[in-house]
């Protein structure tokens, strides 16, 4: 015969079977049907929530890509605009200022 928890089931009789069931419940190997059904329902709820979250993340990812392309276009447009006080061929120097007034120290 088979042994469970080191006890031969055939040698134990009714008392042995009762002890075996009790040990199975205490150690978590045997659970009530309601607990099992609740665990399955909870698993299904989490799975559904995950699928909805992933669908929303995919939409957000696509929208972020579109917004990034729009931002790149805006950046290119801003760099293409002429700068005040500069000719098209001249490079912008870090010392060039908008106001040409001399700086005074206080």
């Amino acid at each position: 015969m088979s042994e469970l928890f080191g006890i031969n089931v055939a040698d134990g009789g009714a008392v042995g079977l009762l002890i075996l069931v009790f040990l199975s419940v205490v150690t978590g190997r045997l659970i009530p049907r309601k607990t099992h059904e609740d665990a399955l329902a909870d698993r299904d709820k989490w799975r559904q929530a995950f699928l909805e979250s992933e669908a929303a993340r995919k939409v957000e990812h696509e929208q972020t890509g579109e917004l990034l392309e729009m931002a790149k276009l805006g950046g290119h447009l801003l760099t293409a605009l002429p700068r005040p006080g500069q000719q098209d061929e001249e490079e912008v120097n870090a010392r060039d200022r908008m106001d040409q007034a001399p700086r005074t120290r206080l």
Side-chain angles (χ1 to χ4, degrees):
M1 288 270 150
S2 63
E3 285 190 8
L4 295 172
F5 298 109
I7 301 171
N8 191 353
V9 179
D11 293 340
V15 175
L17 183 61
L18 182 63
I19 291 173
L20 184 63
V21 169
F22 176 74
L23 288 174
S24 296
V25 170
V26 169
T27 58
R29 294 183 184 196
L30 184 63
I31 60 171
R33 176 181 294 212
K34 178 70 173 147
T35 304
H36 180 67
E37 290 172 352
D38 289 345
L40 290 179
D42 192 42
R43 178 199 64 186
D44 293 339
K45 288 178 188 175
W46 279 106
R47 180 177 289 152
Q48 184 62 32
F50 171 75
L51 293 175
E52 290 174 7
S53 172
E54 285 299 304
R57 187 193 60 79
K58 182 179 177 184
V59 169
E60 180 183 4
H61 181 70
E62 292 170 357
Q63 289 177 350
T64 303
E66 292 175 12
L67 290 173
L68 185 59
E69 290 298 321
M70 297 279 287
K72 286 180 183 178
L73 176 64
H76 290 302
L77 288 173
L78 287 175
T79 56
L81 291 174
R83 294 172 184 88
Q86 300 290 326
Q87 297 294 331
D88 289 337
E89 294 82 24
E90 294 181 15
E91 292 184 18
V92 176
N93 193 349
R95 295 184 200 168
D96 294 340
R97 295 176 37 146
M98 292 290 289
D99 57 344
Q100 298 299 326
R103 297 176 73 184
T104 59
R105 290 192 167 193
L106 298 175

